[in-house]
Amino acid sequence: MQKLRYLAIIGVSAWLCTIVSPAGAETFRVGRLLCFSTPRVGLVLGSAQSLRCVFYARRPPRQYIYEGRIRRVGLDFGVTSASTLSWAVLAKNSRIGPGTLRGSYVGASGSLAVGPGLGANVLIGGSRRTVVLQPLSIERSIGINLAAGVTHLTLGPRGRR
């Protein structure tokens, strides 16, 4: 039964991915964004978490550090430990530098945790809406939690490592 829930979350997120993707826009995979969050307490109608993220650019291979905040509005019930989120980063142009990912991203998310947990997020936004975090983020956490709703992520640059 639990596997069906995970598959449903991933299936819905993949479907949403096709809706929020820029139609007909050529995109390049420019790297990976890995974020580490603080513990979360779902407040029934939403939650908020602080993030520390590292963007791993593909060409040239560099790392850029970001700090952010992720807010969820919708069903969010339970408690999880610190979690890890990982996104493939797509952009309309392959030139990525410090601060390129800064901005606001909005989309859909869902997660389920009963002990170990998984989640998925589909977000679009950033600098002039030229960056897409997709196809899915994979979120790993430990706790007891059920969440589904609209997600708002804000990223600000913190330099290069």
Side-chain angles (χ1 to χ4, degrees), residues 78-133:
V79 177
T80 60
S81 66
S83 58
T84 304
L85 295 95
S86 178
W87 280 281
V89 179
L90 306 175
K92 291 182 181 179
N93 117 26
S94 61
R95 294 183 204 168
I96 298 293
T100 302
L101 271 61
R102 76 176 181 274
S104 293
Y105 299 82
V106 178
S109 68
S111 64
L112 175 66
V114 179
L118 288 175
N121 300 281
V122 181
L123 304 176
I124 186 169
S127 303
R128 295 182 215 116
R129 297 184 184 231
T130 59
V131 177
V132 179
L133 303 179

Side-chain angles (χ1 to χ4, degrees), residues 43-63:
L43 302 173
V44 181
L45 295 176
S47 65
Q49 292 173 277
S50 295
L51 299 174
R52 183 171 191 281
C53 303
V54 179
F55 172 64
Y56 297 93
R58 293 177 82 181
R59 288 185 210 114
R62 296 224 169 116
Q63 296 178 15

Side-chain angles (χ1 to χ4, degrees), residues 26-86:
E26 185 175 342
T27 58
F28 301 94
R29 180 164 182 200
V30 294
R32 185 180 94 173
L33 182 66
L34 188 62
C35 295
F36 305 95
S37 74
T38 57
R40 178 173 81 196
V41 176
L43 302 173
V44 181
L45 295 176
S47 65
Q49 292 173 277
S50 295
L51 299 174
R52 183 171 191 281
C53 303
V54 179
F55 172 64
Y56 297 93
R58 293 177 82 181
R59 288 185 210 114
R62 296 224 169 116
Q63 296 178 15
Y64 300 103
I65 300 170
Y66 290 86
E67 286 190 8
R69 189 146 182 87
I70 190 164
R71 292 177 184 89
R72 293 179 171 98
V73 176
L75 174 67
D76 195 345
F77 186 75
V79 177
T80 60
S81 66
S83 58
T84 304
L85 295 95
S86 178

